[in-house]
Amino acid sequence: MSQTLARERIALMDAEMAPVFAAMVNTATPVACAKGCGSCCTLTVEVSADELFALVDYLEQSLDPDALAALKARARANDAIGHGMEPLARHRKRLVCPVQDPATKACLGHAARPNPCQGYVSVSLPDCEADHADPPRRVERPTMSGILTDLMGGSRDQALASAGMAKTRFELTAGLLAAWREPGAEARWLAGKEIFPDARSYEPAAEPIPAKSR
Ligand code: SF4
């Protein structure tokens, strides 16, 4: 089921983005993203449970055992450094997403990629390549891609909440490892239970409330 949902949301976002991309071509600012770039795959990706399970399902069905084992090893190595880290600090570590093929830089889970990956669109490859420079260069992105990504995420959250399901987000690498560690977790999530507390997206520590002055 998760893969069907993934195909539908990816197709929907493609359809919504098509006129935006066409308008960008007309204004000489075409999309710079292309297969095998992978520059943005060091960004910290936050995913919902359905996105996570769809990706796991797709990878297990599409990769041979050796490739899947190598991906899991990359995930463990990545998580050993970046687990629980603040997203920007994690990005600065240049931890490449374990789903990226190290040889080709292609996304091995492209057909089931999470919404934030699909919605991250750049108009400048040099900007993306300079994103790790010091200071980093700002990556110009079409406003609509961010708005559509947020709309998709917000709509999903509302649908999950109205179905009585947890809308927790997970950091992608930690989430993948948790899903492989707990094979029965999707059924528990579908039953409305919270899952993977150790893989949740980064939450800044609450600021201490200052004592009232007397
Ligand atoms: S899931 Fe794919 S597109 Fe997203 S960060 Fe990983 S390799 Fe890149």
Side-chain angles (χ1 to χ4, degrees), residues 72-161:
K72 290 181 181 180
R74 291 196 295 276
R76 284 192 295 272
N78 181 322
D79 197 55
I81 299 169
H83 189 96
M85 198 176 272
E86 186 276 325
L88 195 55
R90 195 175 184 286
H91 177 50
R92 295 285 167 252
K93 292 275 180 195
R94 304 188 191 200
L95 296 173
V96 178
C97 174
V99 183
Q100 186 186 99
D101 183 336
T104 66
K105 294 191 177 180
C107 175
L108 295 169
H110 185 76
R113 65 199 183 283
N115 199 209
C117 299
Q118 186 183 13
Y120 194 89
V121 176
S122 166
V123 299
S124 166
L125 179 58
D127 281 0
C128 293
E129 289 172 339
D131 191 31
H132 286 111
D134 188 17
R137 195 188 297 178
R138 185 169 174 272
V139 178
E140 290 295 333
R141 302 175 55 211
T143 309
M144 269 312 284
S145 66
I147 292 173
L148 285 169
T149 305
D150 289 347
L151 270 176
M152 296 280 286
S155 305
R156 174 195 292 107
D157 284 351
Q158 285 206 346
L160 291 174

Side-chain angles (χ1 to χ4, degrees), residues 194-211:
E194 287 282 354
I195 54 169
F196 309 154
D198 67 321
R200 286 184 187 158
S201 294
Y202 174 82
E203 291 277 354
E207 290 282 325
I209 300 171

